[in-house]
């Protein structure tokens, strides 16, 4: 009996102090349509924005890839336009990423190699829908699938 009572008391104390774990959630459904290609490859990225809006946790998974993946990036541009990479999700040599191995990355205030820090500018771009995920393959080096990062 003591366990459930203690758990209830702890839960009530956390609720009273406002310690809720809420995130803003964004999703990118990746396919070849915005890259202008016909492909069986698909993907999904989920971007969780921290309650403090100072970092994101990003998961990316793909399926149906028949070519070796050579890179995955978050790029900055509105839907239908091409933009520069602002965050590298994966490049060759960074471990497994394929149909069977998903990614988990944290994008925060640290400036990543070849990218930019997750700061107020990137927060604004995320909320405006001006970021997209692009996955490149050996068969399509400019991108096989793409998906705009939008609020869930």
């Amino acid at each position: 009996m003591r366990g459930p009572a203690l758990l209830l008391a702890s839960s009530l104390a956390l609720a009273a102090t406002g310690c809720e774990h809420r995130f803003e959630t964004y999703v990118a459904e990746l396919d070849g349509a915005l890259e202008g290609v016909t492909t069986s490859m698909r993907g999904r990225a989920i971007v969780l924005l921290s309650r403090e809006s100072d970092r994101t946790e990003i998961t990316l998974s793909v399926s149906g890839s028949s070519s070796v993946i050579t890179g995955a990036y978050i790029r900055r541009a509105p839907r239908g336009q091409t933009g520069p990479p602002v965050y590298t999700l994966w490049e060759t040599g960074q471990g497994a990423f394929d149909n069977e191995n998903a990614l988990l990355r944290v994008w925060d205030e640290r400036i990543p190699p070849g990218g930019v820090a997750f700061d107020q500018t990137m927060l604004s771009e995320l909320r405006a829908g001006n970021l997209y995920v692009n996955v490149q393959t050996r068969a399509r080096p400019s991108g096989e699938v793409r998906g705009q990062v939008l609020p869930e």
Side-chain angles (χ1 to χ4, degrees), residues 4-143:
L6 183 58
L7 180 60
L8 177 60
S10 297
S11 298
L12 291 174
L14 285 174
T17 60
C19 289
E20 301 172 17
H21 292 285
R22 290 186 297 166
F23 296 89
E24 286 179 38
T25 305
Y26 297 81
V27 176
E29 299 293 344
L30 286 67
D31 62 30
L34 287 174
E35 292 290 357
V37 300
T38 301
T39 179
S40 61
M41 186 177 184
R42 299 285 182 267
R44 186 165 210 241
I46 300 172
V47 179
L48 298 177
L49 177 64
S50 70
R51 194 165 67 146
E52 295 80 17
S53 301
D54 62 347
R55 66 182 254 155
T56 63
E57 294 179 11
I58 305 159
T59 59
L60 174 60
S61 60
V62 296
S63 64
S65 177
S66 59
S67 182
V68 174
I69 297 171
T70 57
Y73 305 91
I74 295 180
R75 294 177 175 267
R76 180 181 183 181
R79 182 177 175 86
Q81 295 182 24
T82 301
V86 293
Y87 185 77
T88 299
L89 291 166
W90 186 86
E91 289 182 318
T92 302
Q94 292 182 328
F97 175 51
D98 52 31
N99 293 329
E100 297 174 9
N101 295 284
L103 298 177
L104 172 61
R105 298 290 186 257
V106 174
W107 187 15
D108 57 22
E109 76 282 350
R110 293 174 288 189
I111 299 174
V116 300
F118 188 80
D119 57 13
Q120 287 300 312
T121 301
M122 289 297 103
L123 175 62
S124 296
E125 293 293 340
L126 173 65
R127 288 180 169 158
N130 292 330
L131 298 177
Y132 68 95
V133 176
N134 163 261
V135 178
Q136 301 168 347
T137 64
R138 186 171 293 146
R140 295 194 171 96
S142 63

